[in-house]
Amino acid sequence: MSAPPSTSPPAPSSPPPSRPPAGVGGALADLRANLRYDLPASLVVFLVAVPLSLGIAVASDAPLTAGLIAAAVGGLVAGALGGSPLQVSGPAAGLTVIVADLVNRFGWGVTCAITVAAGVLQILFGVSKAGRAALAISPAVVHGMLAGIGLTIVLGQLHVVLGGEQQDDAIANVLALPAQLVSVHGPAATLGLAVIAILLAWPRLPGSVPAWVRNIPAPLLAVTLLTVVATVLALPVERVEVGGSVLDAIALPVLPTSDLGGVIVGVFTVAIIASIESLLSAVAVDKLRPGTTSDLDRELVGQGAGNTVSGLLGGLPITGVIVRSSTNAAAGARTRASAILHGVWIVVFSVALLGLVQQIPMAVLAGLLVHIGAKLVNVAHMRELHRHGELPMYVVTILGVVLVDLLTGVLVGLGLALLMVLRRVVWASIEVQEPSRGADGEADGAWHVVVEGALCFLSIPRLSRRLARIPEGADVVVDLVTDYLDHAAYDHLSEWEERRRIAGGSVRIDEVGTMGLVARREATAGGPGDRRPGPVPRFLAPWSVWQAGQDAILTGLREYHRRAAGLVAPYLSDLAEGQAPHAWFLTCSDSRVVPNVLTSSGPGDLFTVRNVGNLAPLGGRGDDSVGATVEYALDALGVPTLVVCGHSGCGAMQTVLRASATSDGGNGGDGGALGRWLTGAAESLSRFRGGHPVGERAGAAGASDVDRLAMVNVAVQLDRLARHPGVADAVAQGRVRLVGLFFDIATARMSVLDGDRFVPASTDRLGAGTRSGAELDRATRSAPTPPEPATTTFPVGG
């Protein structure tokens, strides 16, 4: 449907409408503005929902009116109360197997009572903020559950398509299928197969077909067209039996009188499966319309309210349904009014036009259900799960659902998922490679052992068996590609290494460097008696953490050439002819400050300059090294950003403060090389003592004197850079911006200098302070001169 000429419906990716003026008038204006999109979208969803609801009621062994009641309640109640505005709720194929089993065991009245109780439980889930927790179930299990349900539907409804009756379970359906094929009912099979053919062909219509034709919902077209054909030709096929009006079907649920344990299991099964389906659908709908975010806890409350009302009125359980929800978004819906209106249209249809439903052949609805069930077996999901090694969980869940029941299938799938996660956490891959043999049959080289994964005490028996295959006295190289190594595994390897060396063989243990947490490390803090265990973040692999005396540099070089050089070579080869860094980066020589890690950059990105105290003397003090790098960065490399980065706990600033309390006045000590160099920090100390605003702000926030001086020092060094003739010209032309950074080592957080204070380096804040070079120059020249030499205000950059 087309919109008024002045506007067009938003694309699915368009943002939500802007907020109207506050008050009643604004709310009415908002309603009118969105209704022209929501009204046509609700009609499209209604046309899709009616045949699907009827088919799902048939597959659930429930009265047909139960499907329409559930669809209406899903729109009116869940649509109004839920937390996903564009989600459309109603009876879902994912619950058909569960409901059919409950109907067969307890009867329809008790099944309605189970639906009511499941709705109350969902409300409790939402009130207790359990919405996100439901998403913790492995996608492999969820997709396997849906695929198992789909296969069960297909196997049962194929018999109806062929003119027969479905059997009691999936195995019986498979065993009875050959006989059903022999005694196929021609008219019924023709109608059922025609429905499937239309549903498959309609989305593939060529673009030359008019858009209004292609936009007709395929389920509505197939059911309507073939019902008309069956009526006109008076085909002898079984037709739908409604058994009265929707108003007659409304009845209170029946309380159970026996098998209360089975009823309770049914309540939890319906509540959990319906919640998971609804939340997954809500998350998927958010992706269809960027800018919208569902309140998952509120969505659970809305779904629970919908199920409570649906059960009280004699309807099926409801969930958020992705087919109807994606149709709603694609049709241009903007607010929850579309879902509510679709419920209104279903009520009108159920009251005024229910008699038409009795003309629909059962084979037509069965064909629709076969198509729905087949779509639940998603080949794309299978490929993705296979890539991630999770296909076994998917297959096991399907088999459990099809061969036993849904709850068993889901529990078996979850059990396997937990076992696979446990295996990945504690399992180590251990491979022993024999050396090649020379012409004389002698070993040419060392034995090679590769250990990957988490090496802990559970893997020691298998590790011992693998290592026992290596002959006594042979040379061995052990590659540890581990992210975790516990004390038991370390002790075992150390003792094995010692035994090999005593026997005359050589052992070399190499490792891949990892940045991560080692489970436990004993580090000497204050002396021989002060030993504290605890997690220690290191740029070392676990073996090096246990071996405090190992030469980490040589080990790192070997591992770089063994494993990393080949990976970075393609990137470095592009830089072999020259560099084009995006920043000149001056920082302290402190080993804890790693510029590339802090800026998430790689080779060729930063032109890094390091010295004690991140000072920029720029000539005049007997050292032109920093000034030379600035000139090279500007003239030869054309960098657009100059960065000065200080850090907490700076040893240079500590030295300057200690010296300031003595006769040397802060010049760094005894006149040696360090003392002469730190005279470059005298201006920073003077500004700090004079109440520099950066230092005052940091002091008010509780920073120590050392850190306050380090922050002031960053501002002062930026001032020096701004006074450099080449930098001043580049800033005035807008070619360069200056950025001050401060790294707090204890918290691993970076801050950015913004005027007279450091602010957290968040994306939003970084963008807020950026100004052009011309604006910076005007601000610098027009700024009033304070009593002390002022620190220029520089744009914040990232």
Side-chain angles (χ1 to χ4, degrees):
M1 296 189 180
S2 61
S6 60
T7 60
S8 58
S13 60
S14 64
S18 58
R19 186 176 297 277
V24 177
L28 292 175
D30 182 34
L31 178 62
R32 287 194 298 269
N34 292 322
L35 193 59
R36 59 179 174 178
Y37 301 108
D38 293 331
L39 181 60
S42 70
L43 290 171
V44 173
V45 177
F46 157 71
L47 295 176
V48 173
V50 168
L52 294 179
S53 300
L54 294 173
I56 290 168
V58 171
S60 303
D61 289 343
L64 251 66
T65 51
L68 296 175
I69 292 172
V73 171
L76 295 172
V77 179
L81 301 179
S84 181
L86 298 183
Q87 174 146 277
V88 180
S89 301
L95 289 173
T96 54
V97 174
I98 302 172
V99 175
D101 178 64
L102 293 175
V103 172
N104 291 331
R105 291 170 58 193
F106 304 111
W108 176 242
V110 175
T111 301
C112 290
I114 290 174
T115 302
V116 173
V120 173
L121 189 58
Q122 284 183 287
I123 294 174
L124 294 178
F125 288 162
V127 172
S128 61
K129 307 295 183 182
R132 294 285 175 185
L135 298 179
I137 296 179
S138 168
V141 176
V142 175
H143 294 315
M145 176 195 72
L146 295 176
I149 292 170
L151 285 176
T152 304
I153 293 173
V154 169
L155 292 174
Q157 295 302 313
L158 268 178
H159 289 274
V160 182
V161 168
L162 298 175
E165 296 289 338
Q166 65 175 333
Q167 307 302 310
D168 293 334
D169 55 57
I171 296 177
N173 282 319
V174 172
L175 295 177
L177 192 57
Q180 186 63 62
L181 290 171
V182 172
S183 59
V184 62
H185 185 275
T190 302
L191 293 173
L193 294 175
V195 170
I196 297 173
I198 293 173
L199 295 174
L200 292 175
W202 204 250
R204 296 172 175 81
L205 288 178
S208 58
V209 177
W212 68 270
V213 175
R214 287 184 279 113
N215 289 335
I216 298 175
L220 177 69
L221 173 71
V223 173
T224 303
L225 177 62
L226 293 171
T227 299
V228 171
V229 170
T231 302
V232 171
L233 299 179
L235 296 178
V237 293
E238 183 183 357
R239 300 178 188 273
V240 170
E241 295 182 7
V242 176
S245 68
V246 173
L247 297 177
D248 294 335
I250 295 176
L252 290 175
V254 177
L255 295 177
T257 58
S258 62
D259 194 8
L260 293 180
V263 171
I264 292 173
V265 170
V267 169
F268 277 90
T269 302
V270 171
I272 292 172
I273 300 302
S275 299
I276 293 172
E277 281 201 55
S278 298
L279 296 181
L280 291 177
S281 176
V283 172
V285 172
D286 288 345
K287 295 177 181 178
L288 296 176
R289 186 66 62 85
T292 61
T293 303
S294 297
D295 183 338
L296 298 184
D297 295 314
R298 178 180 171 181
E299 181 63 21
L300 280 181
V301 173
Q303 293 293 328
N307 272 319
T308 302
V309 174
S310 182
L312 288 172
L313 296 179
L316 287 168
I318 67 169
T319 75
V321 189
I322 188 59
V323 174
R324 276 162 263 186
S325 301
S326 59
T327 301
N328 191 39
R334 286 192 170 188
T335 69
R336 66 181 68 249
S338 174
I340 297 173
L341 286 173
H342 120 277
V344 172
W345 309 141
I346 291 177
V347 171
V348 173
F349 172 84
S350 302
V351 173
L353 302 173
L354 188 60
L356 297 177
V357 174
Q358 300 184 85
Q359 302 300 318
I360 301 175
M362 291 295 295
V364 169
L365 290 182
L368 176 63
L369 288 169
V370 167
H371 181 260
I372 293 173
K375 289 184 68 174
L376 291 178
V377 185
N378 194 313
V379 178
H381 287 157
M382 296 172 67
R383 293 196 189 100
E384 182 179 358
L385 294 172
H386 178 66
R387 285 197 302 269
H388 293 288
E390 296 180 343
L391 192 59
M393 290 182 274
Y394 180 83
V395 173
V396 165
T397 305
I398 290 177
L399 293 176
V401 171
V402 173
L403 299 180
V404 187
D405 57 50
L406 187 137
L407 184 59
T408 301
V410 170
L411 292 177
V412 171
L414 288 175
L416 181 59
L418 292 174
L419 289 176
M420 292 182 70
V421 169
L422 182 62
R423 182 184 185 277
R424 289 170 182 168
V425 171
V426 303
W427 188 264
S429 170
I430 305 169
E431 181 183 357
V432 177
Q433 302 170 357
E434 295 187 22
S436 57
R437 301 285 177 177
D440 56 358
E442 294 294 326
D444 184 12
W447 284 69
H448 207 79
V449 180
V450 180
V451 182
E452 297 179 301
L455 188 59
C456 65
F457 66 95
L458 295 174
S459 298
I460 290 178
R462 198 158 43 86
L463 175 65
S464 179
R465 287 195 300 270
R466 298 286 197 280
L467 296 178
R469 293 168 46 189
I470 303 174
E472 293 288 337
D475 297 334
V476 185
V477 175
V478 179
D479 271 350
L480 286 180
V481 195
T482 55
D483 49 20
Y484 176 81
L485 180 70
D486 74 356
H487 205 161
Y490 171 76
D491 284 345
H492 184 81
L493 274 176
S494 298
E495 293 169 2
W496 173 81
E497 177 186 18
E498 185 63 24
R499 290 197 304 270
R500 302 286 308 180
R501 286 180 172 148
I502 292 175
S506 67
V507 177
R508 191 181 80 206
I509 297 180
D510 294 337
E511 57 184 340
V512 175
T514 59
M515 184 178 71
L517 287 177
V518 177
R520 179 169 292 273
R521 172 178 180 258
E522 290 186 347
T524 301
D530 184 5
R531 307 187 63 81
R532 56 180 186 188
V536 183
R538 295 292 300 265
F539 286 91
L540 293 173
W543 183 261
S544 293
V545 174
W546 289 109
Q547 285 193 315
Q550 181 150 332
D551 192 334
I553 295 295
L554 295 181
T555 298
L557 289 175
R558 282 199 302 269
E559 289 308 317
Y560 166 75
H561 286 100
R562 179 192 300 273
R563 302 186 184 278
L567 298 176
V568 300
Y571 302 97
L572 292 177
S573 64
D574 295 336
L575 301 172
E577 301 301 324
Q579 58 177 318
H582 58 68
W584 175 88
F585 199 100
L586 171 63
T587 191
C588 186
S589 301
D590 194 292
S591 62
R592 299 167 294 179
V593 180
V594 188
N596 287 103
V597 172
L598 299 179
T599 58
S600 298
S601 54
D605 291 337
L606 300 180
F607 188 66
T608 305
V609 180
R610 307 190 69 144
N611 60 47
V612 177
N614 45 274
L615 303 180
L618 300 173
R621 296 183 183 277
D623 188 290
D624 289 324
S625 61
V626 179
T629 65
V630 171
E631 293 174 8
Y632 186 78
L634 292 175
D635 300 336
L637 302 179
V639 298
T641 306
L642 304 181
V643 180
V644 176
C645 179
H647 67 92
S648 62
C650 180
M653 298 301 105
Q654 294 177 30
T655 301
V656 170
L657 282 176
R658 283 197 303 267
S660 69
T662 63
S663 58
D664 48 29
N667 291 335
D670 58 3
L674 179 61
R676 291 192 299 273
W677 173 258
L678 289 181
T679 57
E683 183 181 357
S684 299
L685 180 63
S686 173
R687 302 262 195 106
F688 172 67
R689 296 299 191 198
H692 192 287
V694 169
E696 295 302 306
R697 287 263 195 170
S704 66
D705 285 351
V706 171
D707 290 353
R708 291 170 59 202
L709 176 59
M711 294 179 188
V712 171
N713 183 57
V714 170
V716 170
Q717 304 313 315
L718 285 173
D719 252 348
R720 289 183 176 179
L721 283 175
R723 294 196 295 265
H724 184 280
V727 175
D729 291 343
V731 169
Q733 297 167 14
R735 294 188 293 108
V736 168
R737 61 179 177 176
L738 308 182
V739 178
L741 302 177
F742 183 82
F743 179 53
D744 183 57
I745 295 174
T747 63
R749 297 292 181 179
M750 187 74 84
S751 299
V752 182
L753 180 62
D754 183 21
D756 60 356
R757 62 175 179 169
F758 279 90
V759 298
S762 62
T763 302
D764 294 340
R765 195 69 185 87
L766 288 179
T770 302
R771 291 184 288 171
S772 66
E775 291 172 332
L776 172 64
D777 184 56
R778 289 195 298 271
T780 303
R781 286 188 278 105
S782 62
T785 304
E788 289 286 337
T791 297
T792 308
T793 301
F794 296 98
V796 178

